[in-house]
């Protein structure tokens, strides 16, 4: 038994914050942001919207694309770093909104690698026969953990959600998953605050050593791709699409250059939603599926990297 992606969906909140808008908030320019990151705009959730609301919208679209109903789902895995509450999990809150009352639901916390971790986890459950059909979601409201006075980070992130319906299948589908973590890099990207005695203790906004993150991201994304190719006996020439974490167009371009993947095979959506952490890969995937780039039979490499540090790949035969 294997698993295959039967449908994709994504959602971006209505409110758009452009680089020009940010010029009025911090000492930055549209030119700097576009040149250094490729980002042109990001979306910000309404005060009434939580991560599970964004996730819900993406799931409705993924279910429709797969021709399935919420009751067909027996596993919900949500990758998020910005959960609605400390508990219950965002997956349980999403399950309630979907009207599902059976199966399992839980969150995965691997920051920007979260979707790859969640997809690999759901794939293992479906392969093992424990569940038949999963919603795998990446959803974030990163705008709520950003220091909007810090130009070094506030221009980089946005809110959004992406989802896939993953079904048990006789044929792949998902060919391989490889997951990695190295907690010794916790200091270069984190949000150190915590709830303690009814108060927030420590800084609850995102802190990052951008240069160190950039270098590490390019190195591990290249290594993870080579690992996936070797494990499946394929070469870079067999690859149809690289869907890497959408943090910075220069990270994607540098990784592609090192691997020898032409830029025309890289899906890039970071310009329209900035870094949406766990949501970025399913957002980019959904765009490329819906605009007809990703077609049946294509070989697609999903690659994530993020805080932890965590990284990994999922290789998919579409
Ligand atoms: O999911 C993983 C999450 N994080 C990432 O993927 C981020 C990875 N890192 C990056 O994308 C890049 O390192 C950044 C976009 C954060 C920075 O780009 P860079 O080319 O590495 O620039 P830099 O950090 O070397 O900064 C260059 C200059 C600095 O000024 P000085 O010290 O040279 O005078 C910064 O203070 O740019 C300045 N700067 C800005 N200027 C205008 C930093 N942020 C801004 C800004 N607008 N928003």
């Amino acid at each position: 038994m294997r698993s295959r992606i039967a449908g994709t969906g994504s959602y971006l909140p209505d409110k758009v914050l452009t680089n020009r808008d940010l010029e009025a908030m911090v000492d930055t320019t549209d030119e700097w942001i576009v040149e250094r990151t490729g980002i042109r705009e990001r979306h910000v959730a309404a005060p009434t919207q939580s991560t599970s609301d964004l996730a819900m919208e993406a799931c409705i679209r993924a279910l429709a694309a797969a021709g399935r109903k919420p009751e067909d789902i027996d596993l919900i895995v949500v990758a998020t770093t910005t959960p609605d509450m400390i508990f219950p999990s965002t997956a349980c809150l999403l399950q309630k909104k979907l009207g599902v009352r059976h199966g399992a639901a839980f969150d995965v916390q691997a920051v920007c690698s979260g979707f790859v971790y969640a997809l690999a986890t759901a794939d293992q459950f479906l392969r093992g026969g424990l569940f038949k059909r999963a919603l795998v979601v990446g959803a974030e409201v990163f705008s709520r953990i950003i220091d909007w006075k810090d130009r070094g980070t506030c221009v980089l992130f946005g809110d959004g959600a992406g989802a896939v319906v993953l079904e048990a299948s006789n044929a792949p589908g998902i060919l391989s998953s490889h997951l990695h973590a190295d907690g010794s890099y916790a200091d270069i990207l984190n949000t150190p605050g915590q709830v303690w005695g009814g108060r927030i203790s420590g800084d609850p906004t995102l802190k990052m050593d951008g240069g160190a993150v950039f270098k590490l991201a390019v190195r591990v994304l290249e290594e993870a791709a080579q690992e996936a190719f070797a494990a499946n006996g394929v070469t870079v020439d067999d690859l149809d699409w690289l869907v890497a974490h959408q943090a910075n167009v220069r990270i994607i371009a540098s990784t592609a250059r090192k691997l020898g993947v032409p830029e025309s095979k890289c899906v890039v959506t970071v310009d329209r939603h900035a870094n949406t952490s766990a949501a970025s890969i399913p957002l980019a995937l959904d765009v490329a599926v819906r605009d007809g780039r990703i077609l049946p039979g294509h070989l697609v490499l999903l690659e994530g990297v993020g805080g932890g540090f965590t990284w990994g790949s999922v290789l998919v035969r579409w």
Side-chain angles (χ1 to χ4, degrees):
M1 188 56 71
R2 306 295 284 267
S3 78
R4 58 177 278 274
I5 294 174
T8 65
S10 62
Y11 171 76
L12 292 168
D14 291 341
K15 186 179 170 192
V16 174
L17 193 65
T18 65
N19 293 349
R20 292 276 179 230
D21 294 331
L22 284 168
E23 286 179 358
M25 296 164 62
V26 287
D27 180 14
T28 191
T29 60
D30 174 54
E31 292 71 25
W32 190 95
I33 301 171
V34 172
E35 187 194 316
R36 300 297 178 112
T37 72
I39 296 165
R40 294 183 183 277
E41 59 187 34
R42 70 285 297 140
H43 293 244
V44 178
T48 51
Q49 285 181 308
S50 59
T51 294
S52 64
D53 293 318
L54 275 54
M56 171 79 175
E57 297 293 338
C59 287
I60 288 170
R61 292 163 201 200
L63 285 165
R68 296 293 176 188
K69 296 196 163 56
E71 55 264 34
D72 298 329
I73 298 299
D74 56 4
L75 172 66
I76 299 175
V77 187
V78 175
T80 189
T81 301
T82 47
D84 291 20
M85 303 178 183
I86 292 175
F87 74 85
S89 68
T90 302
C92 284
L93 300 173
L94 171 65
Q95 191 211 38
K96 179 183 173 188
K97 287 177 183 172
L98 286 166
V100 178
R101 299 186 72 181
H102 61 265
F106 61 91
D107 288 359
V108 163
Q109 160 60 298
V111 202
C112 303
S113 310
F115 183 76
V116 163
Y117 266 65
L119 194 57
T121 303
D123 175 55
Q124 292 299 318
F125 277 122
L126 267 55
R127 277 187 193 224
L130 202 53
F131 300 107
K132 291 271 174 290
R133 195 167 292 113
L135 269 169
V136 183
V137 191
E140 303 278 14
V141 287
F142 251 59
S143 62
R144 298 191 186 155
I145 58 164
I146 294 301
D147 176 355
W148 287 101
K149 292 189 175 67
D150 175 14
R151 69 174 183 173
T153 53
C154 76
V155 304
L156 302 174
F157 294 91
D159 302 340
V164 302
V165 174
L166 192 71
E167 296 189 336
S169 156
N170 291 327
I174 293 187
L175 299 171
S176 68
S177 324
H178 292 91
L179 303 180
H180 299 277
D182 183 345
S184 69
Y185 289 107
D187 288 349
I188 63 173
L189 178 57
N190 58 39
T191 300
Q194 56 181 288
V195 175
W196 187 325
R199 283 197 297 272
I200 293 170
S201 155
D203 192 331
T205 62
L206 183 145
K207 305 289 166 243
M208 180 174 70
D209 177 345
V213 170
F214 192 106
K215 282 195 209 88
L216 185 66
V218 173
R219 176 169 69 76
V220 300
L221 288 174
E222 193 220 343
E223 287 173 6
Q226 300 291 12
E227 179 182 38
F229 295 153
N232 289 280
V234 300
T235 72
V236 66
D237 297 328
D238 298 316
L239 191 69
D240 292 293
W241 296 105
L242 176 63
V243 185
H245 172 47
Q246 305 287 311
N248 183 327
V249 75
R250 287 164 50 222
I251 294 178
I252 299 171
S254 301
T255 304
R257 203 175 314 117
K258 285 175 80 178
L259 286 169
V261 175
E263 283 194 32
S264 58
K265 289 187 176 182
C266 299
V267 177
V268 175
T269 56
V270 67
D271 51 316
R272 31 189 136 152
H273 54 67
N275 183 348
T276 56
S277 191
S280 93
I281 293 172
L283 268 164
L285 183 65
D286 184 48
V287 166
V289 168
R290 284 175 191 266
D291 70 18
R293 273 180 284 174
I294 295 179
L295 293 169
H298 278 178
L299 191 64
V300 183
L301 182 65
L302 312 179
E303 279 201 288
V305 58
F309 247 72
T310 55
W311 64 97
S313 75
V314 175
L315 190 67
V316 185
R317 178 67 67 189
W318 205 258

